[in-house]
Structures are given as structure tokens and as C-alpha cells.
Amino acid sequence: MSIQHHPGDDLLLAQAAGQLPMGPSLVLASHVENCARCQAQLRLLEFAGGALLEALPEAGLRNDALARTLQCIDASQSVPITPVQGPPPLPAGTSWPRALTGCAIARWRWVAPGIHYSRVQVAQDPDANLFLLRIAAGKYLPQHTHSEREFTQVLHGSFHDGRAQFSAGDFDATDGRVHHQPVVQAGGECICLASVEGRVLFDGFFARQLGALMGM
Ligand SMILES: [Zn+2]
């Protein structure tokens, strides 16, 4: 896997600090688990963050600090860790990201000729807008932009959106400054994991109906 597009240091830093919401965090984690470069960068940022914390002057703890910490640990352990539930089949040679362990993935749902969609339910955050898109060779998503951030990780195949080509293993972050039309390459279908905050703003009437079908 030759990865060309990585998350920026600002996103890796937010991930290291636990500041990303669950949906974007899972898309980023799906990239990092297969990218040696981002794993090394994330370790470096975590180390730098730890060193920064150590350099800070000591602050007094609240009286209930220990109880609150234990409560947080209890809460995190009560989330069951189960394999990806009910995932639809993937093409040979492609596997589900380990980051999605514990998530429930619905079966592929037809939304337009050559375009299938599947919602990913995150146990820890039922409101996370996380989904999979499966688009056939030569097909495209209608021209659109975003009201807020969209993170995409390519799991299989490749697409070109006028800015660059994104292939399996690549990560992309877009927002309202990017107006694009992802076109799947002729060689085969493309499957992406995506997280959308806010809304996807499609240009045309029929595209907006398509967006409504996907709950966007
Ligand atoms: Zn990377």
C-alpha cells in the first residue's frame, strides 16, 4: 500500500490529545493503523504532549480527583468490545479497520445506480455521522461542498476529485473551502469510510434528494 495523503499534524495532535469527536477520530484511527509514518508521528506528538505536561507547574488536585478518574475508567470499561457486527462483505484482500471494532455496520443500501451506502453505528456515540460509501468503477458523487469538516479514509479502490487521486490507505480532510466531485477510477469500485460534521451541500436538486436518502 503506497500512501500519498496523510492527516496533518494539527489533526494528529488533536487525536493524541483526545480532542476529536468519535466519528472523525475513528476515521483517523483507521488511517493510522495502516500507516507507519502517522504511527511514528502520533507517538512523537504523544511524547511531546507528555513532556509539556511534565514541564507545567504543579497544580493542586480537586478533593474528588481520584473518585472521578476511577469513575471514568469504570465507564470506559463498561463499553463492550465486540467484533464489527454484521458487516457486509468486502472485496477480497480488503479488511475492516480494527478501529471499527465494537461498531455495528448495516448492510449495503442502494441509493443511486452504482452507489451503495452503509451506516456505521458507534456504541459510545450514537449521534456520530459515520458511514461507508461503495461506488462502482467510473461512477461519481455529485458536485458538493461541506458546511463543516469531512474526513475520508479510502479502504479499497481509488477516486479522483479534481484536486488529487486518493487510493486505498489515503486519508482526506475537507471542509467548506473544498468544492469537489469525487469520480471513481475505471479500474474498479471504491469503498470509503467517511465522517461528516454538519451537512453535505450538494449543488443540484437530484443530488440533494440523494443526500436526503443518505441522511445528509
Ligand atoms: Zn499517514
Side-chain angles (χ1 to χ4, degrees), residues 163-187:
R163 296 176 301 154
Q165 175 158 328
F166 296 86
S167 300
D170 282 335
F171 175 91
D172 187 30
T174 59
D175 57 23
R177 291 168 295 185
V178 175
H179 200 190
H180 64 167
Q181 183 178 47
V183 180
V184 172
Q185 305 298 280

Side-chain angles (χ1 to χ4, degrees), residues 70-81 124:
L70 291 174
Q71 206 174 24
C72 287
I73 293 171
D74 277 352
S76 67
Q77 285 176 343
S78 67
V79 175
I81 301 298
Q124 300 93 321

